[in-house]
Amino acid sequence: MKQLKKWIILGVTLALLGSLVGCGKTAETSKAADNGNTSSGSNDKNIYRTLDEIKKDGTINIGVFSDKNPFGYVDENGDYQGYDVYFAERLAKDLGVKVNYISTEAANRIEYLQTGKVDIILANFTVTDERKEEVDFALPYMNVALGVVSRNDKVVKSLDDLKKDDKIIVISGTTAETYLTKNYPDILLQKFDSYATAKEAFENGTGIAWANDNTEVIAFSLQNDGYTVGIPSLGSNDTIAPAVTKGNTTLLDWINEDIKKLGEEQFFHKDYEETLVETYGSDYKETLVVEGGKSAE
């Protein structure tokens, strides 16, 4: 009888231990679910949701800028607008889900993907070899290079002409910061975390110039009087593309196929007409737009 009681006590103890361990896993899964993630699409470093998991949930989380008109911004009604957002809406439609927009900044785009906070980044994300090591890029949808904008009373046409104390504004986590740090280590950089703070500082007299994607500095000069893009192209010609968490092949493959299909209907030319033509006019269309993942020859 005593032996039976021992076995009963042991069985109850093991059951309780198993329950506690199970609760721990459930709590972790719930935490991931609260962030829009599931454990099945994860590895040692990254967390992500597979294509089927996104479809099942009915919502896709897309990271976009909220302060970078005309590419990603929030309008007076509180709605997201812009070239990237127009594309995001179509991706969600083709996937048959709703969009949950997550406001992102340049410096946290990779982090948001790796932690599963977003499924896709559509935030003027330039494709670079360094970034390819941390995220997976889909086919491109825009061409880009770096550019430098300055004030009309002191136009910067060459970085070699800068004086010792002259400062260039950059946004942390951008290709402009990386390029200048590597190729012009002696230039003083004034770094900001967001487009909005960089823009405000530049308008208030900080820095002799502002280096960023040429699409962005051209837009800034066109939207604000008193500024000139003295260096319209700096460094190499690159592309902008959607990015997903590294290893999320099901979502990546689907995006690539959708971009190819969109190219057949000249979707990105329409996107340009709807969101960018007011800023750039028609002159830049063929230069900037990448249709179906292939740049014009």
Side-chain angles (χ1 to χ4, degrees):
M1 189 68 177
K2 290 181 179 180
Q3 188 69 20
L4 179 60
K5 287 182 178 180
K6 287 182 180 179
W7 282 110
I8 292 174
I9 292 171
L10 179 60
V12 171
T13 301
L14 290 173
L16 286 172
L17 286 172
S19 176
L20 287 172
V21 173
C23 286
K25 288 183 179 178
T26 302
E28 187 66 22
T29 302
S30 297
K31 182 179 179 181
D34 289 340
N35 290 328
N37 310 314
T38 60
S39 58
S40 61
S42 307
N43 54 37
D44 291 340
K45 183 178 179 181
N46 302 319
I47 299 172
Y48 59 81
R49 298 191 301 167
T50 64
L51 181 67
D52 287 342
E53 288 166 342
I54 293 169
K55 287 181 177 180
K56 183 177 180 181
D57 181 66
T59 300
I60 189 166
N61 300 315
I62 299 182
V64 296
F65 287 127
S66 60
D67 58 359
K68 196 169 291 186
N69 187 347
F71 299 98
Y73 64 99
V74 177
D75 66 15
E76 62 275 9
N77 298 317
D79 297 323
Y80 281 91
Q81 303 288 353
Y83 187 78
D84 292 339
V85 175
Y86 191 93
F87 179 28
E89 290 286 334
R90 179 57 185 268
L91 283 176
K93 179 182 178 182
D94 291 349
L95 191 55
V97 297
K98 296 180 180 179
V99 184
N100 176 37
Y101 288 112
I102 305 293
S103 178
T104 186
E105 295 175 357
N108 60 26
R109 289 174 294 192
I110 291 175
E111 174 194 345
Y112 277 16
L113 284 171
Q114 292 178 338
T115 58
K117 188 168 184 177
V118 300
D119 301 304
I120 306 173
I121 284 289
L122 289 179
N124 282 89
F125 211 7
T126 304
V127 179
T128 68
D129 290 337
E130 292 79 11
R131 289 170 176 170
K132 285 180 181 179
E133 295 178 2
E134 300 189 83
V135 302
D136 285 336
F137 284 102
L139 293 171
Y141 61 97
M142 175 174 274
N143 291 312
V144 70
L146 296 178
V148 179
V149 60
S150 46
R151 299 173 186 85
N152 285 348
D153 59 353
K154 198 171 185 180
V155 177
V156 174
K157 295 184 178 181
S158 172
L159 295 180
D160 295 326
D161 295 337
L162 296 183
K163 297 178 181 179
K164 181 179 179 181
D165 296 330
D166 288 338
K167 292 183 179 180
I168 298 286
I169 288 178
V170 295
I171 300 173
S172 298
T174 61
T175 50
E177 179 193 18
T178 303
Y179 177 83
L180 292 176
T181 299
K182 179 180 179 181
N183 296 281
Y184 293 88
D186 294 332
I187 291 181
L188 299 177
L189 301 182
Q190 184 74 45
K191 301 179 183 180
F192 294 90
D193 290 332
S194 70
Y195 185 88
T197 54
K199 177 177 180 291
E200 181 180 6
F202 189 48
E203 290 175 334
N204 289 334
T206 299
I208 193 170
W210 180 8
N212 210 337
D213 288 352
N214 62 352
T215 52
E216 293 161 13
V217 296
I218 290 170
F220 176 84
S221 67
L222 293 173
Q223 294 170 343
N224 298 274
D225 293 332
Y227 299 91
T228 297
V229 179
I231 306 176
S233 182
L234 182 67
S236 61
N237 292 318
D238 298 307
T239 56
I240 299 292
V244 302
T245 311
K246 198 160 191 65
N248 194 355
T249 55
T250 58
L251 181 57
L252 180 68
D253 291 345
W254 181 86
I255 295 173
N256 283 336
E257 288 304 313
D258 203 49
I259 288 175
K260 292 176 184 177
K261 292 177 182 177
L262 292 175
E264 295 174 2
E265 63 181 74
Q266 295 290 287
F267 169 82
F268 291 100
H269 281 76
K270 182 179 179 182
D271 189 349
Y272 184 100
E273 290 292 337
E274 293 290 333
T275 62
L276 300 185
V277 73
E278 185 175 344
T279 299
Y280 296 104
S282 298
D283 293 341
Y284 287 99
K285 186 193 302 183
E286 298 306 324
T287 301
L288 296 180
V289 170
V290 174
E291 200 68 75
K294 296 181 179 179
S295 299
E297 298 295 336

